[in-house]
Amino acid sequence: MTVDRRTVLRSTARLAALGAATGVTAACGDSGDPPARTDPGPEQSTGTAAPSPSPPATPVGSPTAATPAPTVAPSLPPLSPTTPVEVVNGPRDRPQVALTFHGQGDPALALALLTAAEQHGARLTVLAVGVWLDQQPQLARRILDGGHELGNHTQNHLDISRMPADQARAEVQQCADRLLRLTGSIGRWFRPSAAQYATPMVREQARLVGYEHCLSYDVDPRDYTDPGAEVVQRRVLKAAIGGSVIALHMGHRGTVEALPAILTGLAEAGLSVVTTSQLCA
């Protein structure tokens, strides 16, 4: 009995020594040491070696955890050579309108709105706020996969017209960076935040980032004041004509509830809902 225990102990010791030599461990689920850092850390800049800390766990639902693999942005139709630097409306002789949406708010409302549009064969233009894309990166792909158009509505949705030029450009650039990372394109359209029209300064900063056209609108039902679905519907249908660019907001339940009736009413008036690029092609 004693001989057997010694034999087992000797075998165990040999296995442990073999494991140490080969780097194999007996711990279940151990993924080994973290990969070596490729970026210079603070400890490297001083020339003093320091152990790399374990990377923090990424919270569920954080932008890093939820960021989808980049998708390829769809090709856009070329714009008419007469398209102005700032688009307020499209050609009045076409039976088409563009429904444009401030991209922010409850993702469930955004998904409901996209689904309702697609059920009616409508294609929307979503001007996304950068911090919303940080929180809901999967929606960038969802918007494009639905045949809709995606553009830039600044990073933080502040009053861009009152900013110094460099701060205004940063607001445009930061959102553009997120669009590029998520979709492969910065999008065609930039809409200024907290303003219907872009000032000359804002237009210039947008141009420096890569936006040749700013997007305004000629129909504003003020759905962001939450007047109720019936009021939103009535205001849109009363004002919309061929070529209209209509400003709406994703994060408001009344807008989602109004959309099916809006789409039905526009169709009865002989107006189809297309993306802004299609409207201005």
Side-chain angles (χ1 to χ4, degrees):
M1 193 66 183
T2 303
V3 173
D4 290 342
R5 287 185 62 193
R6 288 176 178 175
T7 301
V8 171
L9 290 173
R10 283 196 298 270
S11 298
T12 302
R14 284 196 298 272
L15 287 173
L18 179 62
T22 60
V24 177
T25 67
C28 294
D30 188 356
S31 59
D33 294 332
R37 293 176 62 166
T38 57
D39 58 311
E43 70 278 7
Q44 294 170 316
S45 64
T46 63
T48 303
S52 298
S54 298
T58 302
V60 176
S62 70
T64 302
T67 301
T71 188
V72 178
S75 59
L76 298 173
L79 298 180
S80 166
T82 60
T83 302
V85 172
E86 181 156 27
V87 171
V88 178
N89 59 267
R92 294 299 192 189
D93 58 351
R94 295 185 188 176
Q96 298 174 330
V97 298
L99 293 182
T100 67
F101 284 83
H102 167 114
Q104 199 171 24
D106 184 348
L109 294 179
L111 290 172
L113 191 148
L114 293 170
T115 300
E118 291 154 13
Q119 289 172 345
H120 284 75
R123 297 296 176 259
L124 312 178
T125 303
V126 179
L127 292 310
V129 177
V131 292
W132 186 63
L133 293 176
D134 288 340
Q135 297 161 358
Q136 308 295 336
Q138 75 284 356
L139 287 180
R141 170 180 288 177
R142 171 64 182 84
I143 290 165
L144 294 181
D145 286 349
H148 311 288
E149 190 166 17
L150 188 60
N152 184 324
H153 198 29
T154 75
Q155 177 64 17
N156 296 291
H157 202 261
L158 305 174
D159 190 347
I160 194 170
S161 302
R162 296 181 180 273
M163 295 179 182
D166 58 345
Q167 185 181 351
R169 184 166 66 255
E171 279 288 312
V172 183
Q173 183 69 64
Q174 289 170 24
C175 185
D177 291 344
R178 283 147 178 80
L179 289 167
L180 182 62
R181 183 177 69 249
L182 293 171
T183 73
S185 169
I186 68 171
R188 171 173 278 166
W189 305 103
F190 166 73
R191 173 169 285 172
S193 50
Q196 180 175 358
Y197 304 106
T199 65
M201 179 276 290
V202 171
R203 288 198 298 270
E204 175 61 12
Q205 302 315 307
R207 187 191 67 79
L208 291 173
V209 174
Y211 295 97
E212 297 296 329
H213 301 277
C214 294
L215 181 57
S216 182
Y217 46 87
D218 63 317
V219 176
D220 181 10
R222 302 187 302 283
D223 61 327
Y224 55 87
T225 64
D226 295 315
E230 186 178 345
V231 174
V232 174
Q233 170 196 344
R234 184 172 66 250
R235 288 173 177 173
V236 170
L237 296 180
K238 181 178 180 180
I241 59 175
S244 283
V245 176
I246 302 160
L248 293 163
H249 294 71
M250 277 190 153
H252 296 262
R253 186 171 300 278
T255 303
V256 178
E257 294 172 350
L259 187 62
I262 289 173
L263 295 172
T264 297
L266 291 172
E268 290 174 350
L271 298 171
S272 58
V273 177
V274 298
T275 67
T276 306
S277 285
Q278 292 170 328
L279 184 69
C280 295

